Amino acid sequence: MRFTFFEDFLSLVFPKTCCVCKRSLFVFENQLCKVCIGSLPITNYHQRPQNNELSLKILGLTKPNLVISFLQFTKKGTSQKLLHQLKYRNKPEIGVELGRIYAHILSEWGFGSHWDYIIPVPLHPIKLKRRGYNQSEQFALGLSEILGVPISRGLQRDQFTDTQTQKSRMERLENVANVFSARYFDEIKGKRILLVDDVMTTGATLTSCANSLLMSGAVTVDLAVIAAGK
């Protein structure tokens, strides 16, 4: 599709650059250049979604089904740079593009018709207003676009909680216990849910959300995140 004259002009004055290497993007590239996409630290968790480090991490905290992560998280690595821009640099489109890329991989492995709804981990309304968007929902939008699975806002965050960053694993679990509640029960009861978040550290937030969905009648709740550490 041809750009309009105005779009051509803007691309010359304000060229779009790769959010990782900062090189100018071609017309057919979005957020990430092909070179950086090829060097993403993609995990193989989708090849063994019921038996990996992440599924073992939440064993005993919720009923684990499939637990997967798109990228391997490393401090000062590519995944951290992407998450930092997504969450703190007002670049929600990065989350959408990462969702699209991951969805293509999942489709190749037969996950296309695996879920009835995708549910992003919700932000508290105060935090949502501050940031302007939910980074987990942006990731869900990209997944939904390619997989053809609708998004549900079937979860809500009822309490404003402190940041989890400096908390221990036990403190994280206590901090988000009973924080989430389900709504739109017709989109949960009897359904296969893909619950998505931006990052998985201890699994506390995802565990709390998954338990709320399971108690509300979801048949299965699978977990997927943009990045996770070992």
Side-chain angles (χ1 to χ4, degrees):
M1 181 184 297
R2 280 289 301 157
F3 278 179
T4 65
F5 175 80
F6 182 66
E7 288 171 327
D8 282 335
F9 173 76
L10 286 179
S11 67
L12 288 172
V13 179
F14 304 105
K16 294 181 179 180
T17 59
C18 175
C19 57
V20 175
C21 69
K22 305 306 179 184
R23 294 176 181 172
S24 296
L25 294 175
F26 289 106
V27 175
F28 55 83
E29 294 175 325
N30 185 19
Q31 303 304 317
L32 290 159
C33 69
K34 295 297 182 182
V35 174
C36 287
I37 290 176
S39 62
L40 287 174
I42 298 173
T43 75
N44 65 353
Y45 292 146
H46 56 279
Q47 299 178 27
R48 46 192 180 94
Q50 292 178 313
N51 182 26
N52 58 50
E53 292 90 342
L54 302 185
S55 60
L56 293 175
K57 185 179 289 187
I58 63 169
L59 194 64
L61 299 177
T62 188
K63 182 182 176 182
N65 193 47
L66 308 181
V67 188
I68 53 180
S69 173
F70 178 27
L71 304 177
Q72 188 73 52
F73 181 87
T74 53
K75 287 187 176 181
K76 298 184 179 180
T78 300
S79 55
Q80 187 181 42
K81 291 178 183 177
L82 290 169
L83 288 171
H84 185 80
Q85 291 183 68
L86 170 62
K87 294 179 70 172
Y88 306 116
R89 296 297 181 184
N90 194 32
K91 293 196 173 182
E93 59 275 8
I94 291 176
V96 179
E97 185 62 18
L98 292 175
R100 293 187 187 113
I101 298 170
Y102 196 31
H104 281 297
I105 295 173
L106 294 177
S107 293
E108 291 175 1
W109 282 82
F111 287 93
S113 59
H114 206 78
W115 302 290
D116 299 307
Y117 283 100
I118 299 172
I119 296 183
V121 170
L123 291 178
H124 189 275
I126 293 176
K127 188 170 288 187
L128 180 61
K129 186 174 182 179
R130 287 176 183 170
R131 184 167 295 160
Y133 58 90
N134 178 355
Q135 70 275 5
S136 299
E137 185 170 326
Q138 299 305 306
F139 183 51
L141 287 169
L143 290 169
S144 175
E145 178 185 325
I146 303 303
L147 294 174
V149 180
I151 292 176
S152 168
R153 277 79 178 181
L155 271 178
Q156 62 184 13
R157 185 185 288 253
D158 300 318
Q159 301 176 37
F160 186 88
T161 54
D162 297 331
T163 178
Q164 299 273 73
T165 306
Q166 302 299 324
K167 297 183 184 298
S168 67
R169 187 167 190 258
M170 186 57 66
E171 289 172 335
R172 288 173 185 242
L173 290 168
E174 293 174 351
N175 193 45
V176 294
N178 304 313
V179 165
F180 302 94
S181 63
R183 57 180 183 172
Y184 308 141
F185 293 97
D186 59 326
E187 297 179 0
I188 297 174
K189 188 174 182 180
K191 301 297 192 300
R192 302 165 301 166
I193 303 297
L194 177 63
L195 177 66
V196 302
D197 203 0
D198 58 343
V199 64
M200 180 175 176
T201 307
T202 63
T205 298
L206 286 162
T207 293
S208 180
C209 290
N211 287 335
S212 293
L213 293 170
L214 290 168
M215 287 188 293
S216 298
V219 174
T220 57
V221 178
D222 298 335
L223 311 179
V225 295
I226 296 175
K230 291 186 177 179

